[in-house]
Amino acid sequence: MEVTLQATKTQSSQLVYLCHLLNIIDAFCTLHWLTIGVEEANPIMASAYEVSPAAFLALKFTLVVTCTEYIYQYTSEKRKLVIFSMINVVYSCVVCWHIAGFLATQR
């Protein structure tokens, strides 16, 4: 039981790291699109970007770190695996969308 619990903790930690990595990639890709005139779909993040790109990044990183920390501290290990896996699937799709956009604009 202890070995399984430790393995689960390691997996959930790795999923949190992946979530943060994907968030960073998304943030800088989004900044690229915003600088060339694409509109931010999220009104809260659009407002932050209107203040400054630094405000955009600060808000994005603060929100994701706060939410992931809350989930990590107050959720069971099995539930963490499910939640962070789902978040990472969504973020992976977003990063793929950015890549597709970059490839489409290179033609």
Side-chain angles (χ1 to χ4, degrees):
M1 178 69 175
E2 185 64 36
V3 173
T4 304
L5 183 59
Q6 185 60 40
T8 305
K9 284 184 179 181
T10 301
Q11 290 170 334
S12 61
S13 294
Q14 291 170 343
L15 289 171
V16 170
Y17 293 136
L18 179 59
C19 179
H20 290 304
L21 176 63
L22 292 169
N23 180 49
I24 291 166
I25 294 168
D26 174 45
F28 285 102
C29 289
T30 300
L31 276 181
H32 165 76
W33 295 117
L34 293 173
T35 59
I36 63 171
V38 176
E39 283 189 42
E40 170 62 58
N42 180 334
I44 296 169
M45 296 309 296
S47 296
Y49 183 73
E50 287 177 13
V51 172
S52 74
F56 172 87
L57 290 175
L59 180 60
K60 184 160 180 57
F61 295 151
T62 300
L63 287 173
V64 172
V65 167
T66 301
C67 290
T68 55
E69 183 64 21
Y70 180 84
I71 293 165
Y72 196 81
Q73 292 298 323
Y74 299 107
T75 307
S76 70
E77 288 301 318
K78 286 184 179 183
R79 198 166 286 203
K80 283 180 207 176
L81 291 175
V82 172
I83 292 169
F84 288 122
S85 293
M86 290 171 37
I87 291 169
N88 288 334
V89 166
V90 171
Y91 260 132
S92 295
C93 290
V94 169
V95 169
C96 287
W97 186 255
H98 285 302
I99 292 169
F102 289 137
L103 293 174
T105 58
Q106 297 302 313
R107 296 175 191 234

